[in-house]
């Protein structure tokens, strides 16, 4: 276990990398962090954002699909936090100079309609969501060349950097919806079934993570279930994610 002092130093290092858009080397190069240490650094990093006036708007899961696990070499589900500073309106512009080396992922979002106390063993997580939507997540690892270990990426708030959510619809069970991500530089196609077999399973994985990490969910927050395909570079111009039966969401990259 690392000390509270080192936890704060590492959080500051990642925060500076994000705010200055200058990458940093893997924490694992000179520190031995276990997964609890990594979540402690993530919490300290979030505290720095909240101290600047940001508000928590939701949570995100990572590595819920084999495509992402294979792309990044990490095979454990991870959880990170979203804040209002990361939110982009559907159709909105996103300034690419905010990021180091941004990538974009096609996702499905759920909306929390009831507070979730992670300590309550009776929680029915599916009853705590009332809507779903197509979403894009912008990830921007603060590590050099987007290369990291499992503990690195957890400490770095799971590369969270931005997100946009399309129109909300009532939750409808349909595990296998076609997904298409189109950017100015390429396209990725897949299915929501890539997300743990059915994105609704991401909610159960989330509840498990919330219990283990003491994360509370609040009505109105959003959940990103994890990418359905490998990520693509985020480039200038329109990026659109379309999910069959749910519609689409667009962001416009600008320089
Ligand atoms: C970590 C974040 C992964 C997802 O949807 O699987 C993630 C990364 O690849 O940088 O957000
Ligand atoms: Mg993601």
């Amino acid at each position: 276990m690392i000390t509270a002092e080192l936890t704060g130093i590492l959080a500051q290092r990642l925060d500076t990398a994000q705010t200055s858009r200058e990458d940093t080397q893997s924490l694992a190069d000179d520190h031995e962090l276990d997964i609890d240490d990594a979540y402690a650094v993530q919490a300290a990093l979030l505290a720095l954002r909240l101290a600047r006036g940001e508000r928590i708007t939701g949570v995100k899961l990572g590595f819920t699909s084999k495509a992402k696990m294979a792309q990044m070499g990490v095979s454990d589900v991870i959880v990170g936090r979203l804040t209002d500073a990361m939110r982009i309106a559907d159709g909105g512009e996103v300034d690419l100079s905010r990021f180091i080396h941004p990538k974009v992922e096609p996702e499905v979002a759920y909306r929390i309609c009831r507070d979730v106390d992670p300590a309550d063993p009776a929680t029915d997580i599916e009853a705590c969501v009332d809507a779903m939507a197509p979403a894009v997540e912008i990830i921007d690892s603060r590590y050099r060349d987007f290369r990291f270990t499992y503990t690195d990426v957890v400490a770095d708030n799971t590369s969270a950097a931005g997100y946009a959510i399309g129109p909300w619809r009532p939750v409808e069970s349909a595990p296998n919806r076609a997904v298409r991500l189109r950017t100015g530089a390429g396209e990725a196609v897949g299915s929501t079934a890539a997300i743990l077999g059915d994105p609704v399973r991401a909610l159960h994985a989330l509840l498990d993570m919330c219990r283990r990490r003491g994360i509370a969910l609040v009505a109105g927050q959003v959940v990103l279930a994890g990418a359905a395909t490998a990520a693509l570079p985020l480039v200038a111009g329109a990026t659109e994610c379309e999910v069959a039966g749910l519609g689409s969401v667009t962001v416009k990259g600008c320089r």
Side-chain angles (χ1 to χ4, degrees):
M1 217 182 91
I2 61 171
T3 62
E5 191 192 355
L6 183 56
T7 301
I9 290 169
L10 297 179
Q12 190 61 63
R13 178 165 137 193
L14 289 165
D15 193 57
T16 301
Q18 186 249 316
T19 55
S20 67
R21 289 95 167 143
E22 269 181 51
D23 63 14
T24 186
Q25 72 190 83
S26 161
L27 305 184
D29 284 356
D30 20 50
H31 302 284
E32 254 181 55
L33 272 71
D34 64 24
I35 192 61
D36 294 334
D37 295 328
Y39 277 103
V41 173
Q42 184 190 115
L45 182 60
L46 183 75
L48 293 172
R49 282 179 168 271
L50 299 184
R52 285 198 291 271
E54 292 181 34
R55 273 186 320 105
I56 295 174
T57 52
V59 292
K60 57 158 287 187
L61 289 168
F63 305 127
T64 49
S65 68
K66 290 209 170 64
K68 279 294 304 182
M69 292 180 198
Q71 184 179 33
M72 305 315 297
V74 175
S75 55
D76 292 88
V77 172
I78 58 177
V79 63
R81 305 296 195 95
L82 304 172
T83 76
D84 58 341
M86 302 178 193
R87 193 166 48 197
I88 303 154
D90 183 7
E93 294 191 345
V94 51
D95 179 1
L96 299 178
S97 68
R98 274 171 52 186
F99 309 110
I100 304 168
H101 40 204
K103 296 186 195 178
V104 64
E105 300 177 323
E107 303 229 2
V108 170
Y110 289 95
R111 185 172 66 195
I112 301 286
C113 60
R114 203 169 289 163
D115 293 358
V116 177
D117 170 3
D120 180 357
T123 299
D124 174 356
I125 190 70
E126 291 184 44
C128 296
V129 298
D130 67 347
M132 62 195 296
V136 287
E137 183 183 16
I138 297 170
I139 51 171
D140 190 35
S141 175
R142 269 53 70 164
Y143 299 110
R144 197 150 305 152
D145 303 328
F146 232 109
R147 288 165 61 92
F148 46 70
T149 65
Y150 169 45
T151 51
D152 278 336
V153 67
V154 165
D156 185 26
N157 194 25
T158 68
S159 309
Y163 69 96
I165 295 186
W168 292 108
R169 289 175 168 270
V171 177
E172 223 181 280
S173 167
N176 192 358
R177 299 171 190 267
V179 173
R180 181 184 298 270
L181 177 69
R182 274 199 209 95
T183 78
E187 162 172 294
V189 291
S191 159
T192 56
I195 304 162
L196 298 175
D198 179 341
V200 81
R201 294 217 182 106
L203 293 174
H204 295 274
L206 173 66
L207 180 60
D208 182 50
M209 294 298 284
C210 286
R211 286 185 168 138
R212 284 198 274 160
R213 301 293 160 198
I215 296 173
L217 303 173
V218 177
Q221 288 184 345
V222 303
V223 175
L224 295 182
T229 70
L232 296 178
L234 176 67
V235 295
T239 287
E240 185 188 28
C241 167
E242 197 184 333
V243 181
L246 291 184
S248 65
V249 56
T250 308
V251 294
K252 295 190 191 96
C254 304
R255 286 186 209 286

